[in-house]
Amino acid sequence: MDNGLHAPCTMSGEDAPAQQQNAVDQKQETKPAEEPKNESPKTESAPAAAADTAATPAAAAEKVPEEETFSYRALVLTGYGGYDKVKLQVKKGKPTLKAGEVLVRVKACGLNFADLMARQGLYDRLPSPPVTPGMECAGVVEAVGEEVTDRKVGDKVMVLNRFGLWQEVVVAPANHTFLIPEGMSFEQAAALPVNYITAYMMLFDFGNLRPNQSVLVHAAAGGVGIAATQLCKTVTDVAVFGTASASKHETISEGGVTHPIDYRTKDYVEEVRKISPKGLDIILDPLGGSDTHKAYNLLKPMGKLITYGAANMLAGQKKNLIAVAKNWYHQFSIHTLSLIQGNKSVCGFHLGYLDGETELITQAMNAILDLYKEGKIKPRIDSTWHFEQVGDAMRKMQERNNIGKVILTTEPMPEEEKKEEPKKEDKKEEKKKDDKKKDDKKKDDAKKEEKKDDKKKEEAKKEEKKEEEKKEEVKKEEK
């Protein structure tokens, strides 16, 4: 698994950098990548393959140009920083398949909070730039390697990897792919793996969720939040407390949140205590820092705190050292004696560190797909963005403006949209022109008002002069 398209992944343990593939990154071209020809499954033995090659040297020679001309678009993190650090490039050279691997033509990719942190250099499971991010995608199998028996060309699959999936073509181990159920779109499939596996394993493997329990879900309108809420509703009479801005309350309530809380205007700890004075059974904590302390104190006896992130470290487009330092300063730690006396448990979950646990991941995914087929869960898509719009997609998610999953599509943006979409410089110029017009109008209006005032003053002076003249005439007549 040293190929850069699938090197370290969620269930792998290898750390080969993504840039070690035989491909050349170039600046983005406007034309889409060339469509490759479908390949038949590589199931023949090595001697048979060698015999075929020897028998048809001309066919082997014909493959060389195809290998050289094959290209595909990929998003590449070129360095740590703002949204502009993720750039669209064209890679050349057809990826080679090893035994047990499949080649997938990607249709849609999922955007996760970890990708935002990775852009700022705050996610240690992503190799150093330049590297292609992306932990989940969905597409169609175009070729299979030797020893692959449960996948075939034409299969619609979702792929789970530690990184490297934000591109038009990916190579991954077949056991990192899952068949897409009938009726599920590529966008929904790309929204499923990371969020739902995370929520499922936290609630059921760590949390042991049972009927009549209570759960606190932070960021209830996000990908994991919606997944966790839906999974909670598969268990009888589970009360879901969900934090989200007020504008999202109606949506998350319809989705199954029993008690929505506006974390921006209210203290969620006080709000929980009003409804459940004893506290909660399970708390999912993606925030870290001081919020982890609050979560632990909110637990009932026998309650479980499951921490799975440090979103409080993400403040602004670039790395905020103050936010990072503050988060570390308030890092939660506890003595085992306190755990014993409090009858509480603290768990940590990180999907990116479940390296090699293919069986665990597969079991969770199979259970999730069964729930989907039963109609009990369904990924919610907030919005879909072209690769060219990745910066805007990341901004929407980082500014907490999404309700559900943000998806990237590999379909190239139509030329019409590109022409219609003004450049940043053009927008700035237009804004300057608009501001100038407004200022000019204000000045013109001010001048008109001044003229009116001057006219009124002149008329007032004339009236005064007439009054004085009248008074003079009256005085003369009296004399």
Side-chain angles (χ1 to χ4, degrees):
M1 288 177 48
D2 57 349
N3 188 300
L5 293 169
H6 59 78
C9 64
T10 307
M11 295 165 285
S12 159
E14 300 180 351
D15 292 316
Q19 61 269 31
Q20 287 180 354
Q21 57 191 0
N22 296 324
V24 179
D25 292 352
Q26 297 183 342
K27 291 184 179 179
Q28 179 198 351
E29 300 172 5
T30 54
K31 64 178 182 180
E34 293 181 24
E35 290 290 332
K37 296 178 182 177
N38 285 348
E39 296 184 12
S40 57
K42 299 183 180 178
T43 54
E44 73 242 43
S45 64
D52 290 344
T53 304
T56 56
E62 287 176 5
K63 288 184 179 179
V64 176
E66 183 188 356
E67 300 295 323
E68 291 177 355
T69 58
F70 188 94
S71 64
Y72 53 96
R73 302 185 311 151
L75 290 170
V76 178
L77 177 64
T78 58
Y80 300 129
Y83 306 122
D84 60 339
K85 293 297 183 181
V86 181
K87 300 183 185 300
L88 184 57
Q89 300 180 355
V90 171
K91 294 181 178 180
K92 289 189 176 180
K94 190 167 185 177
T96 56
L97 287 175
K98 294 181 180 179
E101 294 180 339
V102 296
L103 183 144
V104 178
R105 174 66 62 170
V106 178
K107 302 296 184 181
C109 307
L111 176 61
N112 291 287
F113 211 82
D115 298 314
L116 305 180
M117 299 190 76
R119 197 194 69 241
Q120 295 189 4
L122 296 172
Y123 185 72
D124 60 357
R125 300 306 281 166
L126 187 75
S128 300
V131 61
T132 293
M135 295 177 280
E136 60 191 345
C137 70
V140 181
V141 175
E142 285 200 342
V144 298
E146 294 178 0
E147 301 176 13
V148 176
T149 58
D150 57 348
R151 296 289 179 269
K152 64 182 185 299
V153 173
D155 280 347
K156 295 179 179 179
V157 296
M158 57 191 86
V159 186
L160 181 65
N161 241 32
R162 222 174 74 198
F163 68 91
L165 300 186
W166 285 0
Q167 50 192 30
E168 290 179 320
V169 175
V170 300
V171 170
N175 60 6
H176 289 195
T177 67
F178 306 91
L179 292 174
I180 297 175
E182 192 70 31
M184 180 184 282
S185 68
F186 287 117
E187 289 78 13
Q188 289 176 328
L192 200 75
V194 172
N195 291 161
Y196 280 82
I197 290 174
T198 296
Y200 184 91
M201 296 187 80
M202 288 194 298
L203 287 170
F204 297 111
D205 291 323
F206 270 147
N208 191 27
L209 181 63
R210 299 193 302 279
N212 301 308
Q213 290 192 321
S214 55
V215 181
L216 172 61
V217 178
H218 284 291
V224 174
I226 287 177
T229 302
Q230 291 181 2
L231 290 169
C232 282
K233 303 316 286 183
T234 65
V235 180
T236 308
D237 295 328
V238 171
V240 180
F241 293 74
T243 63
S245 54
S247 62
K248 301 175 182 179
H249 282 192
E250 183 178 351
T251 304
I252 64 174
S253 295
E254 291 172 356
V257 172
T258 321
H259 306 290
I261 302 170
D262 183 4
Y263 68 97
R264 292 182 177 178
T265 59
K266 295 180 180 179
D267 183 338
Y268 66 85
V269 174
E270 291 181 5
E271 294 302 308
V272 169
R273 291 288 185 194
K274 287 178 186 176
I275 301 165
S276 181
K278 285 188 176 181
L280 304 170
D281 295 296
I282 299 173
I283 298 176
L284 307 182
D285 168 40
L287 305 175
S290 59
D291 285 287
T292 309
H293 291 268
K294 293 177 182 178
Y296 183 79
N297 292 329
L298 261 178
L299 289 176
K300 284 180 180 178
M302 301 304 293
K304 303 173 187 71
L305 163 61
I306 305 160
T307 179
Y308 67 104
N312 286 334
M313 286 201 291
L314 201 65
Q317 188 178 153
K318 299 179 181 180
K319 184 192 288 187
N320 186 321
L321 293 176
I322 295 174
V324 173
K326 186 177 179 182
N327 190 274
W328 279 108
Y329 180 77
H330 291 290
Q331 191 69 24
F332 178 78
S333 63
I334 190 167
H335 196 280
T336 53
L337 188 60
S338 299
L339 288 173
I340 294 169
Q341 294 171 345
N343 287 294
K344 299 176 181 181
S345 67
V346 178
C347 310
F349 183 85
H350 194 306
L351 187 58
Y353 279 92
L354 283 177
D355 297 327
E357 299 299 332
T358 309
E359 190 176 342
L360 271 179
I361 299 296
T362 302
Q363 286 175 356
M365 197 62 180
N366 288 340
I368 291 163
L369 292 174
D370 286 341
L371 290 172
Y372 173 84
K373 292 170 186 174
E374 293 168 12
K376 293 181 178 179
I377 62 170
K378 184 180 180 181
R380 179 190 174 97
I381 308 300
D382 171 84
S383 52
T384 300
W385 306 76
H386 294 281
F387 269 2
E388 294 90 335
Q389 302 169 307
V390 63
D392 293 327
M394 290 190 293
R395 179 182 289 105
K396 176 158 192 174
M397 187 172 182
Q398 189 162 328
E399 293 178 356
R400 314 293 204 278
N401 291 326
N402 60 303
I403 301 179
K405 191 75 171 184
V406 177
I407 293 294
L408 300 172
T409 176
T410 57
E411 182 183 345
M413 183 184 288
E415 290 298 323
E416 296 77 20
E417 288 186 33
K418 290 180 184 177
K419 290 175 183 176
E420 290 174 6
E421 188 177 0
K423 295 179 180 178
K424 288 182 180 178
E425 292 78 9
D426 296 338
K427 288 180 181 179
K428 288 179 182 177
E429 288 299 321
E430 287 177 13
K431 191 174 185 304
K432 285 181 182 177
K433 287 179 183 177
D434 290 339
D435 291 342
K436 191 174 184 303
K437 285 180 183 178
K438 289 177 183 178
D439 290 339
D440 291 341
K441 191 174 184 303
K442 285 179 182 178
K443 288 177 183 177
D444 291 339
D445 291 341
K447 285 179 182 178
K448 287 178 183 178
E449 289 297 324
E450 285 178 11
K451 286 180 181 179
K452 286 181 182 178
D453 291 340
D454 291 340
K455 194 174 181 182
K456 286 179 181 178
K457 287 177 182 177
E458 286 177 9
E459 288 176 355
K461 285 180 181 178
K462 286 179 182 178
E463 289 295 325
E464 287 177 8
K465 195 173 182 181
K466 285 180 183 179
E467 288 295 325
E468 288 176 2
E469 288 175 355
K470 283 181 182 179
K471 287 178 182 178
E472 289 295 326
E473 287 176 7
V474 170
K475 285 180 181 179
K476 287 177 182 178
E477 288 174 1
E478 286 177 352
K479 288 179 179 178

